[in-house]
């Protein structure tokens, strides 16, 4: 893998793995890949293919995939369905070559650690699995950013992976279960285009309210880069289960999160399908005084979330996010034009719900309800907690102390507010508070 090339040579080979390419009705346990040569010196190790590429297995069917706490240390490169452990964890449609959710929830990847860089040049790349429609249990990703400079690793990863969608530190696209013991630390270096996150690039709401879930993880550091919907923890979240059903506080402490639009220290965007929910409580926090959140030459950046919106169904959430990414591509370099079209479409793009989104930060014995980063930066719509909240969404921000400097470098007209003045929309808590936003004890 030549990191100096802007585009890799043509990739070929489906079902490629460091241990096995395709596993059917077998058991893979206690195996590992190493980045040391015969003299025990650290060297570069690679697994390279096109589709279904994994550090341990490209794809498994009716198989046991239990790492017994072993690790993949190779770097993984592919076009789609690329993972540090397995390319995809789900049900394969042999005719279409696509993967879907395991309705029986039997597909399991457990007890593995990924230590390599994972690059998907097109879509679905993750530290454990590029796509997860089953269960990922007791796994983590720990990319060493101490012996190698994290920003340099990110720059090298961006050269090959900058066009990939659905890229995450654990899973690129999650519509299953990602579960580990509380406080499991993840350190990620991930780069892509749309939907990029330190834990998951895209965390999906189910079609009938059955949501993907993530439990037990702390982003302990990492370098995350993309374009649209880029988050320290999750790039885009559309489900409620990550916050409900016994969930605990979400801690996201990135070193750097960089994108163009919808960029956040925890979530790039929360466009949440509420279904029957009336209250969606989000207990989260950031704590890295060296960490920066930056919507470079773009908009909608926040310490917790760049953008928040509640909609009725998962289909609406998915279509709304896709529309916003299309708008972002259409207005490349035109920040006022992009934000203006998003705001013009936010009410018509999805239905209005009477549910309330609540963002707070409980006292936890480690400094309490404080949001601490080095900076939150954007051209327009930057907030210490939330960059922008959709006008059709009820949002409560409660008990949050922001310790992070906020910068907005540009301005735009808003004739509803003034015919002569221009506005940048930067705030210590939120960039702009509409009539459906309540700020309490912040």
């Amino acid at each position: 893998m030549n990191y100096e090339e802007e585009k890799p040579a043509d990739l070929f080979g489906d079902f490629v793995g460091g241990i096995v390419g395709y596993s059917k009705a077998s058991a893979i346990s206690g195996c590992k890949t190493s980045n040391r040569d015969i003299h025990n010196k650290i060297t570069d190790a690679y697994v390279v293919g096109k589709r279904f590429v994994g550090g341990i297995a490209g794809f498994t069917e009716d198989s046991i995939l239990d790492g017994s706490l072993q690790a993949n240390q190779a770097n993984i490169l592919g076009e789609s369905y690329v993972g540090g452990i397995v390319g995809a964890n789900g049900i394969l449609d042999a005719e279409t070559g696509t993967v879907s959710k395991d309705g029986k929830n039997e597909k399991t990847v457990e007890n593995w650690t990924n230590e390599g860089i994972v690059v998907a040049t097109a879509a679905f790349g993750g530290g454990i699995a590029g796509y997860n429609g089953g269960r990922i249990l007791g796994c983590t990703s720990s990319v060493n950013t101490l012996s190698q400079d994290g920003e340099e690793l990110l720059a090298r990863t961006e050269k090959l992976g900058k066009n990939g969608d659905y890229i995450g530190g654990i899973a690129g696209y999650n519509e299953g279960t990602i579960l580990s013991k509380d406080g499991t630390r993840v350190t990620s270096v991930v780069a892509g285009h749309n939907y990029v996150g330190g834990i998951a690039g895209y965390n999906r709401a189910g079609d009938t309210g059955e949501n993907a879930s993530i439990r037990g993880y702390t982003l302990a550091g990492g370098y995350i880069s993309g374009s649209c919907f880029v988050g320290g923890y999750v790039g885009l979240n559309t489900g409620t289960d990550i916050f409900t059903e016994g969930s605990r506080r979400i801690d996201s402490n990135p070193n750097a999160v960089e994108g163009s639009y919808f960029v956040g220290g925890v979530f790039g965007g929360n466009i949440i399908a509420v279904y029957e929910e009336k209250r969606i409580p989000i207990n989260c926090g950031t704590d890295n005084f060296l960490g920066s959140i930056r919507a470079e030459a773009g908009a909608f950046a926040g310490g917790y979330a760049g953008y928040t919106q509640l909609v009725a169904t998962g289909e609406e959430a998915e279509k709304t996010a896709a529309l916003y990414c299309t708008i972002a591509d259409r207005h490349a370099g035109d920040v006022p034009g992009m934000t203006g079209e998003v705001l013009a479409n936010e009410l018509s793009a999805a239905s209005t719900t009477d549910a309330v989104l609540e963002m707070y930060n409980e006292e936890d014995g480690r400094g309490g309800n404080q949001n601490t980063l080095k900076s939150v930066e954007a051209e327009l719509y930057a907030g210490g907690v939330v960059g922008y909240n959709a006008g059709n969404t009820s949002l409560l921000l409660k008990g949050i102390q922001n310790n992070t400097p906020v910068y907005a470098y540009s301005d735009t007209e808003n004739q509803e507010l003034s015919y002569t003045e221009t506005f940048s929309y930067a705030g210590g808590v939120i960039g702009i508070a509409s009539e459906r936003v309540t700020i309490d004890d912040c």
Side-chain angles (χ1 to χ4, degrees), residues 20 28 71 111 116 130 161 195 200 203 217 306 312-313 330 371 375 400 402 431:
V20 59
I28 304 171
N111 301 322
Y195 315 116
N203 192 60
Y217 287 93
T313 68
R330 183 161 58 241
N371 172 48
S375 63
I400 303 169
N402 176 50

Side-chain angles (χ1 to χ4, degrees), residues 323-324 327 337-349 388:
L323 171 63
Y324 292 172
I327 292 172
M338 185 278 179
T339 57
E341 188 170 349
V342 167
L343 270 57
N345 278 275
E346 66 180 4
L347 299 182
S348 60
Y388 181 84

